[in-house]
Amino acid sequence: MPASITGDELERLHEQRVLWLEEIEGPVVALPTEYPDGHLVPRHSHSRSQLLYALAGVVLVTTDAGRWMVPPEHAIWLPAGVHHAVEILGAVSMRSIYIAPDATIGLPTHLHVVALTDLMRCLIVEAVISDDNPPPGSRGALVTGLLLDELHNLPERPLGLPFPAEPRLSALCRRFVEKPSPHATIDEWAAVLAMSRRSFTRSFQRETGLSFSVWRQQACLFAALPRLADGEPVTSVALDLGYESVPAFTTMFKRMLGVSPRFYLSGTLAQRQQPS
């Protein structure tokens, strides 16, 4: 997509794409899109489920269930019919896989974040450059079949950073994501909003579906993931985020992702060294 394309042109292209998705046949449609920083994909829905993967950059997905920031090396699953908008944070290279409801048995019916396996990441790249609705037995059809099968192997993660809709609280969350710290407290945030601790706790839970402490941990994790993926030492990442020791950071990391930072780091570097 040309770098000089305007926001209005992007919006028109998006409207055309949504209509096209309702008309095209075939079990899987894979589309690449390049978005500039600050662009907003307006609220919409489609009859296909969507696996939304930001190859580069960060997206904020808003649905009736909440707002979700998708971490690097992960994707968000949007079931068919879910109304959603997408806010672009930084220049984003998006890869979307749209899947027909009858494409395979057992498609997930709930919105959630998944980790991408090495195989799925490669299949997404191949699907994007393949022809739409490839003939049976062709390479594209084999890629599509394997992609549908691999969907069932994507591990669900308790991630996706929900954002509140209330403007003042949302502004606090945005500032925290820009500079996260494990030492932020409920009392500090409640004071900024001129709320009691009890009122703030209830409001935060209602707006995000998470306790403040869990949300804070996930925000810190989001800040750590791209730095680890870029090869930064675990020690420097942990200390820069405000953790008093590497073991304290590792404990949080394993609780959230199920693996240690070093294991995540080695796996991510191996994935990036694979040809695309």
Side-chain angles (χ1 to χ4, degrees):
M1 185 172 292
S4 59
I5 193 167
T6 67
D8 289 342
E9 290 171 327
L10 271 174
E11 188 166 339
R12 284 195 297 270
L13 285 173
H14 170 73
E15 292 172 353
Q16 294 169 4
R17 172 177 289 187
V18 171
L19 293 174
W20 177 75
L21 282 170
E22 298 304 314
E23 298 173 354
I24 192 170
E25 298 181 353
V28 173
V29 179
L31 296 174
T33 315
E34 305 298 319
Y35 288 112
D37 180 27
H39 183 72
L40 176 65
V41 180
R43 178 180 167 91
H44 66 284
S45 67
H46 26 71
S47 60
R48 292 172 179 262
S49 295
Q50 179 182 3
L51 185 68
L52 188 158
Y53 169 46
L55 189 66
V58 176
V59 296
L60 185 62
V61 179
T62 301
T63 74
D64 291 338
R67 308 178 76 195
W68 306 89
M69 185 181 288
V70 186
E73 310 299 334
H74 294 71
I76 189 168
W77 175 260
L78 294 161
V82 171
H83 286 83
H84 58 284
V86 183
E87 185 177 347
I88 305 302
L89 307 180
V92 166
S93 293
M94 188 183 297
R95 303 294 181 265
S96 289
I97 307 297
Y98 298 93
I99 301 170
D102 58 354
T104 185
I105 297 173
L107 286 177
T109 58
H110 65 290
L111 184 151
H112 60 282
V113 173
V114 296
L116 293 182
T117 61
D118 297 349
L119 177 57
M120 179 57 86
R121 190 175 288 101
C122 293
L123 288 170
I124 290 174
V125 172
E126 289 296 325
V128 165
I129 62 176
S130 297
D131 293 334
D132 296 322
N133 202 14
S138 65
R139 186 174 188 274
L142 294 175
V143 167
T144 294
L146 189 52
L147 187 149
L148 289 172
D149 186 72
E150 187 64 9
L151 270 177
H152 302 290
N153 294 324
L154 300 182
E156 183 173 344
R157 298 298 192 211
L159 296 174
L161 193 64
F163 264 61
E166 199 282 321
R168 293 191 305 155
L169 186 53
S170 180
L172 275 178
C173 289
R174 283 181 180 272
R175 290 200 293 271
F176 184 84
V177 167
E178 292 172 0
K179 192 175 181 180
S181 167
H183 304 302
T185 67
I186 292 175
D187 291 332
E188 291 170 349
W189 283 41
V192 171
L193 298 178
M195 299 172 68
S196 69
R197 178 186 178 92
R198 184 176 181 182
S199 295
F200 174 85
T201 299
R202 288 180 173 178
S203 177
F204 196 91
Q205 179 79 39
R206 182 176 61 253
E207 289 276 340
T208 67
L210 298 176
S211 68
F212 176 76
S213 62
V214 171
W215 190 94
R216 181 188 61 199
Q217 288 176 344
Q218 292 190 180
C220 287
L221 183 62
F222 275 31
L225 289 177
R227 296 180 61 179
L228 292 174
D230 285 339
E232 289 193 43
V234 175
T235 299
S236 63
V237 173
L239 296 180
D240 284 351
L241 288 177
Y243 283 85
E244 297 176 356
S245 66
V246 173
F249 173 74
T250 299
T251 297
M252 180 279 296
F253 197 100
K254 290 181 70 174
R255 182 167 56 246
M256 303 302 291
L257 279 182
V259 296
S260 70
R262 295 187 190 281
F263 185 89
Y264 173 88
L265 174 61
S266 62
T268 301
L269 291 178
Q271 293 164 5
R272 292 192 169 189
Q273 290 167 0
Q274 295 179 356
S276 58

